[in-house]
Amino acid sequence: GAHGDGELRHYRWTPVAGVDQEYVEGEPKHLGGAYVRVRTLRAEHAPERPAHPRGAVTVVLSADERFAYSVGADPEEPVVQWSLADGSQKTRIDAPHRGGVAAMCMLPDGVGGKAVPSVRGTRGNPAAVAVERAAAAAKGGRLITAGRTDGNLCVWA
């Protein structure tokens, strides 16, 4: 939810070396391990600031775990695509919905591929929406966003 310090922290489960492995129905069950912080994502031009100062509403990972997509509690905040390799912001989807984004999810590989058409343009410019969607497609997976107040679902391909 949109509570907390607004930092985005990426953790990965790491098994502890030397711990005996237990198998349940033929599948390994990890007995020992820990979540290790891989990276903390922060504001692009102010590394001392959290990624979303008013808190994050939702975060999703691409299936290959190369990218994270997040949006903050402020309705004016864009959807941000983050590289988990280096923590940088790769692209932004400005004004994806009037009133902000309520939820996001990723489509599996091979599903979708074309943006759901929208007549509403960014600042009155429908071409800007097309450019943003093309940039999102070139740099990651297919993302679905749901608007808080506009009742729309958008597929970003």
Side-chain angles (χ1 to χ4, degrees):
H3 301 289
D5 59 13
E7 284 190 349
L8 299 175
R9 298 177 189 98
H10 178 219
Y11 290 89
R12 178 162 289 142
W13 176 261
T14 305
V16 174
V19 173
D20 288 337
Q21 190 73 24
E22 178 183 331
Y23 288 84
V24 176
E25 297 180 9
E27 295 293 322
K29 179 181 177 185
H30 296 289
L31 295 176
Y35 282 100
V36 178
R37 186 185 301 192
V38 176
R39 179 166 322 289
T40 300
L41 305 174
R42 298 191 175 270
E44 186 174 30
H45 299 294
E48 69 284 352
R49 290 187 55 221
H52 299 289
R54 292 183 55 199
V57 171
T58 184
V59 179
V60 295
L61 291 177
S62 62
D64 59 7
E65 293 189 19
R66 291 184 313 141
F67 301 106
Y69 298 83
S70 67
V71 68
D74 184 347
E76 301 301 315
E77 277 196 58
V79 173
V80 178
Q81 181 191 50
W82 302 88
S83 165
L84 293 179
D86 62 10
S88 65
Q89 289 186 19
K90 291 299 181 187
T91 193
R92 297 164 45 108
I93 302 171
D94 291 310
H97 294 277
R98 284 187 317 269
V101 174
M104 297 188 298
C105 70
M106 293 295 296
L107 287 174
D109 288 344
V111 176
K114 293 187 177 180
V116 172
S118 173
V119 252
R120 183 184 66 79
T122 302
R123 295 175 193 79
N125 183 357
V129 172
V131 169
E132 288 174 350
R133 289 180 178 173
K139 297 180 179 177
R142 286 165 288 286
L143 178 73
I144 295 177
T145 58
R148 284 186 197 165
T149 59
D150 66 7
N152 292 327
L153 290 175
C154 289
V155 179
W156 304 87

